[in-house]
mmCIF file of all heavy atoms in Angstrom:
data_model
loop_
_atom_site.group_PDB
_atom_site.id
_atom_site.type_symbol
_atom_site.label_atom_id
_atom_site.label_comp_id
_atom_site.label_asym_id
_atom_site.label_seq_id
_atom_site.Cartn_x
_atom_site.Cartn_y
_atom_site.Cartn_z
ATOM 1 N N VAL A 48 48.774 -31.915 -3.955
ATOM 2 C CA VAL A 48 47.928 -32.892 -4.722
ATOM 3 C C VAL A 48 46.529 -32.855 -4.042
ATOM 4 O O VAL A 48 45.413 -32.860 -4.821
ATOM 5 C CB VAL A 48 48.495 -34.360 -4.642
ATOM 6 C CG1 VAL A 48 47.469 -35.394 -5.164
ATOM 7 C CG2 VAL A 48 49.775 -34.373 -5.509
ATOM 8 N N ALA A 49 46.405 -32.793 -2.756
ATOM 9 C CA ALA A 49 45.145 -32.685 -2.057
ATOM 10 C C ALA A 49 44.350 -31.528 -2.485
ATOM 11 O O ALA A 49 43.176 -31.475 -2.713
ATOM 12 C CB ALA A 49 45.314 -32.846 -0.568
ATOM 13 N N ILE A 50 45.025 -30.346 -2.476
ATOM 14 C CA ILE A 50 44.452 -29.063 -2.863
ATOM 15 C C ILE A 50 43.868 -29.172 -4.244
ATOM 16 O O ILE A 50 42.730 -28.799 -4.477
ATOM 17 C CB ILE A 50 45.451 -27.932 -2.654
ATOM 18 C CG1 ILE A 50 45.828 -27.709 -1.235
ATOM 19 C CG2 ILE A 50 44.846 -26.591 -3.307
ATOM 20 C CD1 ILE A 50 46.972 -26.744 -0.972
ATOM 21 N N VAL A 51 44.565 -29.594 -5.173
ATOM 22 C CA VAL A 51 44.225 -29.697 -6.568
ATOM 23 C C VAL A 51 43.097 -30.649 -6.798
ATOM 24 O O VAL A 51 42.093 -30.353 -7.423
ATOM 25 C CB VAL A 51 45.337 -29.979 -7.565
ATOM 26 C CG1 VAL A 51 44.927 -30.253 -8.972
ATOM 27 C CG2 VAL A 51 46.340 -28.776 -7.480
ATOM 28 N N LEU A 52 43.167 -31.833 -6.201
ATOM 29 C CA LEU A 52 42.080 -32.768 -6.288
ATOM 30 C C LEU A 52 40.720 -32.319 -5.616
ATOM 31 O O LEU A 52 39.723 -32.457 -6.282
ATOM 32 C CB LEU A 52 42.382 -34.065 -5.759
ATOM 33 C CG LEU A 52 43.510 -35.000 -6.507
ATOM 34 C CD1 LEU A 52 43.813 -36.178 -5.772
ATOM 35 C CD2 LEU A 52 42.937 -35.268 -7.880
ATOM 36 N N TYR A 53 40.902 -31.595 -4.419
ATOM 37 C CA TYR A 53 39.683 -31.055 -3.823
ATOM 38 C C TYR A 53 39.073 -30.082 -4.746
ATOM 39 O O TYR A 53 37.869 -29.993 -4.934
ATOM 40 C CB TYR A 53 40.076 -30.511 -2.531
ATOM 41 C CG TYR A 53 38.931 -29.843 -1.794
ATOM 42 C CD1 TYR A 53 38.043 -30.502 -0.989
ATOM 43 C CD2 TYR A 53 38.612 -28.465 -2.073
ATOM 44 C CE1 TYR A 53 36.937 -30.015 -0.409
ATOM 45 C CE2 TYR A 53 37.509 -27.792 -1.414
ATOM 46 C CZ TYR A 53 36.789 -28.654 -0.670
ATOM 47 O OH TYR A 53 35.651 -28.023 -0.041
ATOM 48 N N GLU A 54 39.927 -29.129 -5.331
ATOM 49 C CA GLU A 54 39.249 -28.120 -6.046
ATOM 50 C C GLU A 54 38.673 -28.635 -7.412
ATOM 51 O O GLU A 54 37.575 -28.219 -7.852
ATOM 52 C CB GLU A 54 40.367 -27.088 -6.471
ATOM 53 C CG GLU A 54 39.869 -25.914 -7.309
ATOM 54 C CD GLU A 54 38.766 -25.058 -6.826
ATOM 55 O OE1 GLU A 54 38.549 -25.124 -5.634
ATOM 56 O OE2 GLU A 54 38.185 -24.292 -7.575
ATOM 57 N N ALA A 55 39.219 -29.675 -8.015
ATOM 58 C CA ALA A 55 38.710 -30.411 -9.174
ATOM 59 C C ALA A 55 37.384 -30.931 -8.746
ATOM 60 O O ALA A 55 36.356 -30.757 -9.563
ATOM 61 C CB ALA A 55 39.604 -31.356 -9.703
ATOM 62 N N LEU A 56 37.284 -31.626 -7.787
ATOM 63 C CA LEU A 56 35.970 -32.192 -7.368
ATOM 64 C C LEU A 56 35.029 -31.161 -7.001
ATOM 65 O O LEU A 56 33.749 -31.295 -7.327
ATOM 66 C CB LEU A 56 36.252 -33.086 -6.089
ATOM 67 C CG LEU A 56 37.046 -34.453 -6.403
ATOM 68 C CD1 LEU A 56 37.368 -35.163 -5.044
ATOM 69 C CD2 LEU A 56 36.147 -35.308 -7.353
ATOM 70 N N ARG A 57 35.430 -30.034 -6.309
ATOM 71 C CA ARG A 57 34.445 -28.903 -6.015
ATOM 72 C C ARG A 57 33.869 -28.320 -7.216
ATOM 73 O O ARG A 57 32.767 -28.069 -7.324
ATOM 74 C CB ARG A 57 35.200 -27.831 -5.146
ATOM 75 C CG ARG A 57 34.289 -26.770 -4.595
ATOM 76 C CD ARG A 57 35.041 -25.542 -4.148
ATOM 77 N NE ARG A 57 35.673 -24.840 -5.232
ATOM 78 C CZ ARG A 57 35.091 -24.166 -6.023
ATOM 79 N NH1 ARG A 57 33.838 -23.796 -5.970
ATOM 80 N NH2 ARG A 57 35.798 -23.485 -7.029
ATOM 81 N N GLN A 58 34.684 -28.107 -8.218
ATOM 82 C CA GLN A 58 34.208 -27.601 -9.492
ATOM 83 C C GLN A 58 33.239 -28.509 -10.221
ATOM 84 O O GLN A 58 32.393 -28.103 -11.081
ATOM 85 C CB GLN A 58 35.389 -27.145 -10.450
ATOM 86 C CG GLN A 58 36.108 -25.997 -9.889
ATOM 87 C CD GLN A 58 37.291 -25.602 -10.869
ATOM 88 O OE1 GLN A 58 37.219 -25.794 -12.018
ATOM 89 N NE2 GLN A 58 38.228 -24.860 -10.248
ATOM 90 N N GLN A 59 33.374 -29.767 -9.971
ATOM 91 C CA GLN A 59 32.400 -30.786 -10.538
ATOM 92 C C GLN A 59 31.177 -31.021 -9.615
ATOM 93 O O GLN A 59 30.529 -31.988 -9.783
ATOM 94 C CB GLN A 59 33.138 -32.041 -10.977
ATOM 95 C CG GLN A 59 34.111 -31.807 -11.976
ATOM 96 C CD GLN A 59 34.911 -33.050 -12.368
ATOM 97 O OE1 GLN A 59 34.315 -34.187 -12.119
ATOM 98 N NE2 GLN A 59 36.126 -32.908 -12.685
ATOM 99 N N GLU A 60 31.093 -30.139 -8.612
ATOM 100 C CA GLU A 60 29.955 -30.267 -7.621
ATOM 101 C C GLU A 60 29.974 -31.599 -6.865
ATOM 102 O O GLU A 60 28.915 -32.108 -6.548
ATOM 103 C CB GLU A 60 28.628 -29.951 -8.318
ATOM 104 C CG GLU A 60 28.469 -28.631 -8.858
ATOM 105 C CD GLU A 60 27.263 -28.399 -9.625
ATOM 106 O OE1 GLU A 60 26.313 -29.291 -9.558
ATOM 107 O OE2 GLU A 60 27.141 -27.274 -10.207
ATOM 108 N N PHE A 61 31.186 -32.048 -6.599
ATOM 109 C CA PHE A 61 31.384 -33.213 -5.755
ATOM 110 C C PHE A 61 30.510 -34.401 -6.187
ATOM 111 O O PHE A 61 29.838 -35.031 -5.292
ATOM 112 C CB PHE A 61 31.108 -32.907 -4.224
ATOM 113 C CG PHE A 61 32.097 -32.026 -3.704
ATOM 114 C CD1 PHE A 61 31.902 -30.601 -3.559
ATOM 115 C CD2 PHE A 61 33.196 -32.602 -3.125
ATOM 116 C CE1 PHE A 61 32.878 -29.836 -2.989
ATOM 117 C CE2 PHE A 61 34.173 -31.798 -2.538
ATOM 118 C CZ PHE A 61 34.030 -30.334 -2.471
ATOM 119 N N ASN A 62 30.391 -34.797 -7.350
ATOM 120 C CA ASN A 62 29.634 -35.837 -7.867
ATOM 121 C C ASN A 62 29.845 -37.132 -7.020
ATOM 122 O O ASN A 62 30.910 -37.561 -6.810
ATOM 123 C CB ASN A 62 29.949 -36.136 -9.329
ATOM 124 C CG ASN A 62 29.496 -35.009 -10.279
ATOM 125 O OD1 ASN A 62 28.615 -34.357 -9.928
ATOM 126 N ND2 ASN A 62 30.170 -34.964 -11.322
ATOM 127 N N ASP A 63 28.814 -37.607 -6.437
ATOM 128 C CA ASP A 63 28.774 -38.845 -5.681
ATOM 129 C C ASP A 63 29.563 -38.731 -4.318
ATOM 130 O O ASP A 63 29.799 -39.779 -3.663
ATOM 131 C CB ASP A 63 29.171 -40.032 -6.469
ATOM 132 C CG ASP A 63 28.263 -40.339 -7.686
ATOM 133 O OD1 ASP A 63 27.057 -40.169 -7.491
ATOM 134 O OD2 ASP A 63 28.871 -40.753 -8.687
ATOM 135 N N LEU A 64 29.920 -37.529 -3.947
ATOM 136 C CA LEU A 64 30.592 -37.390 -2.648
ATOM 137 C C LEU A 64 29.763 -36.677 -1.680
ATOM 138 O O LEU A 64 28.963 -35.808 -2.021
ATOM 139 C CB LEU A 64 31.911 -36.554 -2.789
ATOM 140 C CG LEU A 64 33.098 -37.171 -3.727
ATOM 141 C CD1 LEU A 64 34.209 -36.339 -3.833
ATOM 142 C CD2 LEU A 64 33.376 -38.570 -3.120
ATOM 143 N N SER A 65 29.799 -37.080 -0.446
ATOM 144 C CA SER A 65 29.015 -36.504 0.564
ATOM 145 C C SER A 65 29.562 -35.099 0.868
ATOM 146 O O SER A 65 30.805 -34.906 1.132
ATOM 147 C CB SER A 65 28.986 -37.344 1.812
ATOM 148 O OG SER A 65 28.287 -36.752 2.854
ATOM 149 N N THR A 66 28.611 -34.180 1.052
ATOM 150 C CA THR A 66 29.070 -32.801 1.469
ATOM 151 C C THR A 66 28.647 -32.505 2.819
ATOM 152 O O THR A 66 28.763 -31.356 3.247
ATOM 153 C CB THR A 66 28.438 -31.712 0.577
ATOM 154 O OG1 THR A 66 27.039 -31.857 0.566
ATOM 155 C CG2 THR A 66 28.968 -31.895 -0.864
ATOM 156 N N HIS A 67 28.206 -33.551 3.564
ATOM 157 C CA HIS A 67 27.903 -33.348 5.025
ATOM 158 C C HIS A 67 28.414 -34.583 5.793
ATOM 159 O O HIS A 67 28.805 -35.475 5.168
ATOM 160 C CB HIS A 67 26.386 -33.171 5.145
ATOM 161 C CG HIS A 67 25.589 -34.364 4.811
ATOM 162 N ND1 HIS A 67 25.202 -34.533 3.475
ATOM 163 C CD2 HIS A 67 25.160 -35.390 5.487
ATOM 164 C CE1 HIS A 67 24.505 -35.673 3.389
ATOM 165 N NE2 HIS A 67 24.429 -36.244 4.542
ATOM 166 N N GLU A 68 28.304 -34.489 7.039
ATOM 167 C CA GLU A 68 28.758 -35.692 7.944
ATOM 168 C C GLU A 68 27.691 -36.864 7.710
ATOM 169 O O GLU A 68 26.646 -36.791 8.343
ATOM 170 C CB GLU A 68 28.775 -35.161 9.353
ATOM 171 C CG GLU A 68 29.167 -36.257 10.355
ATOM 172 C CD GLU A 68 30.516 -36.890 10.048
ATOM 173 O OE1 GLU A 68 31.486 -36.163 10.058
ATOM 174 O OE2 GLU A 68 30.505 -38.155 9.750
ATOM 175 N N ALA A 69 28.055 -37.749 6.894
ATOM 176 C CA ALA A 69 27.243 -38.900 6.631
ATOM 177 C C ALA A 69 26.999 -39.898 7.806
ATOM 178 O O ALA A 69 25.907 -40.411 7.925
ATOM 179 C CB ALA A 69 27.769 -39.602 5.362
ATOM 180 N N ILE A 70 28.075 -40.113 8.547
ATOM 181 C CA ILE A 70 28.013 -41.117 9.483
ATOM 182 C C ILE A 70 27.217 -40.676 10.698
ATOM 183 O O ILE A 70 26.339 -41.396 11.287
ATOM 184 C CB ILE A 70 29.330 -41.758 9.766
ATOM 185 C CG1 ILE A 70 29.971 -42.411 8.681
ATOM 186 C CG2 ILE A 70 29.312 -42.646 11.116
ATOM 187 C CD1 ILE A 70 31.422 -42.871 8.747
ATOM 188 N N LYS A 71 27.665 -39.436 11.214
ATOM 189 C CA LYS A 71 27.100 -39.009 12.401
ATOM 190 C C LYS A 71 25.712 -38.340 12.193
ATOM 191 O O LYS A 71 24.940 -38.075 13.101
ATOM 192 C CB LYS A 71 28.058 -37.936 13.077
ATOM 193 C CG LYS A 71 29.376 -38.544 13.521
ATOM 194 C CD LYS A 71 30.217 -37.356 14.046
ATOM 195 C CE LYS A 71 31.585 -37.981 14.437
ATOM 196 N NZ LYS A 71 32.606 -36.894 14.794
#
Side-chain angles (χ1 to χ4, degrees):
V48 173
I50 291 167
V51 170
L52 288 176
Y53 177 88
E54 180 61 14
L56 291 171
R57 188 194 67 77
Q58 288 182 22
Q59 295 178 28
E60 299 177 4
F61 290 96
N62 294 332
D63 298 325
L64 295 179
S65 177
T66 58
H67 63 275
E68 178 58 63
I70 295 173
K71 296 177 185 175

